[in-house]
Amino acid sequence: MPPARAAGPSDGGSRRTARGDGGRGRRGRAPAKRDGGPGPQGPADMQDGGSGRGAARGRSAGRRDGTYQRKQGRSARIYFFLAGGLGLVIVVVLLAVLVMGGGEKPPAGKAAGAAMGPVAESGLSPSSYSSSASTGAYAKIEQRSADPAPLTAGEAFPDEKLAVPDAGAELSLKGKRLDGDCAAAVWGSGVGDELRRGSCTQAVRGVYADGDHALTVAVFNLAGKENADRLVGRLESGGGFVRPLPAGEPLDRFGQGFSMARGLAVGHYAVVAWAQRLDGKGDVQDEALLSLLIEGGKAPGPLGRAARAS
């Protein structure tokens, strides 16, 4: 039997096979895995084609996710901070408006521009009525904005006695009342509408009497001279008038029988004086009643304000 030959290069023997199976030759390198499987460098380092770029991209994506979440957190905090700041600004502005009042201050117990209540549908009226518009003597108090302090009942009716020499009478103050709702002092929807139009904020009424005569005086606090002029003119057309203060005998007969009234605009105030003999007698020539109207029209509150403003 012929002897065995050693394998040579042409045999394709074990040397070539060894080099192809893991030798160090250039042509014998093992190809990198392209399906994400483990390669020569190990599973963790050779994902995504064996180059390690997949892991890097994973780490980069993780960093981007974290950065996005941190940005989202910062954006949310900024949003809530700005929203809270805006809310605080709104509250401060509202408080400033309330404190400053926007100009004219309302009377105690009544907000400026507050709606009037319902007006009585019927009531008593005088037998005779006349009126006068405001004059230049009251120019300094033509607007309530120039005379914003509310009237008081004591300012409107400071004296307990009212002397009327031409009538030979001295009347005593029997009652006074201040209403923040002007509707309480009148009857008639037309009169009520005029008070609303004039932004009436106060009605002050007082009643004087002796054994023979009675006098009711009402003062209305309106927005301006033009409103006072319209109100005293409106009372002349009928369909509404001032309501006398409730009182016992003999004043409970006030408005029954003959009576006279006069309305005067004094700047932004409307003053209405209403006089009567308690026996219900008299006529338009009654000097005593005319004298009572003159004295009743000298309303201390509005006249005192006009004098102080001059």
Side-chain angles (χ1 to χ4, degrees):
M1 175 179 289
R5 290 189 303 170
S10 59
D11 295 339
S14 61
R15 183 185 299 177
R16 189 180 183 95
T17 304
R19 291 173 71 117
D21 288 345
R24 308 178 71 86
R26 180 180 300 175
R27 295 176 61 188
R29 280 184 162 175
K33 290 283 238 182
R34 295 185 179 270
D35 59 357
Q41 295 185 21
D45 295 332
M46 296 301 292
Q47 297 292 325
D48 191 21
S51 65
R53 288 195 298 271
R57 280 201 294 269
R59 289 192 294 272
S60 176
R63 285 195 296 271
R64 285 198 299 271
D65 290 345
T67 301
Y68 176 73
Q69 290 174 357
R70 287 194 296 274
K71 286 182 178 179
Q72 275 195 322
R74 284 196 296 269
S75 298
R77 287 194 294 272
I78 291 171
Y79 171 81
F80 288 117
F81 176 80
L82 292 176
L86 179 59
L88 180 61
V89 169
I90 293 172
V91 171
V92 170
V93 170
L94 290 175
L95 288 175
V97 170
L98 291 175
V99 170
M100 296 180 69
E104 180 184 326
K105 293 182 180 180
K110 180 181 174 77
M116 287 172 41
V119 176
E121 296 180 359
S122 61
L124 300 169
S125 296
S127 307
S128 173
Y129 176 80
S130 60
S131 65
S132 294
S134 186
T135 68
Y138 311 116
K140 293 295 182 68
I141 60 167
E142 284 186 352
Q143 300 301 317
R144 187 165 58 201
S145 57
D147 174 37
L151 278 173
T152 65
E155 183 182 7
F157 301 103
D159 301 318
E160 294 296 321
K161 298 290 184 179
L162 179 66
V164 188
D166 291 344
E170 184 180 72
L171 284 67
S172 300
L173 183 65
K174 301 299 184 181
K176 58 186 175 184
R177 174 173 165 177
L178 186 154
D179 287 293
D181 184 352
C182 296
V186 300
W187 68 270
S189 60
V191 177
D193 290 343
E194 196 62 61
L195 290 173
R196 289 188 184 91
R197 181 181 179 187
S199 298
C200 185
T201 55
Q202 291 180 294
V204 194
R205 289 174 290 170
V207 58
Y208 298 90
D210 62 6
D212 300 314
H213 309 89
L215 173 68
T216 286
V217 179
V219 180
F220 297 91
N221 189 341
L222 301 161
K225 166 190 174 298
E226 62 280 4
N227 306 113
D229 288 346
R230 279 199 305 267
L231 178 60
V232 297
R234 175 66 180 77
L235 294 175
E236 197 164 359
S237 64
F241 206 72
V242 173
R243 298 175 67 189
L245 285 177
E249 293 184 358
L251 294 176
D252 58 345
R253 299 195 301 272
F254 189 89
Q256 302 173 22
F258 182 83
S259 62
M260 301 174 69
R262 181 168 176 75
L264 302 169
V266 182
H268 68 94
Y269 298 98
V271 180
V272 181
W274 186 2
Q276 178 179 336
R277 290 184 182 272
L278 290 176
D279 60 10
K281 297 179 180 180
D283 56 37
V284 294
Q285 305 299 324
D286 193 313
E287 293 293 334
L289 295 182
L290 291 171
S291 297
L292 287 171
L293 290 182
I294 292 172
E295 291 301 320
K298 298 175 181 177
L303 293 181
R305 297 212 174 182
R308 291 191 295 273
S310 299

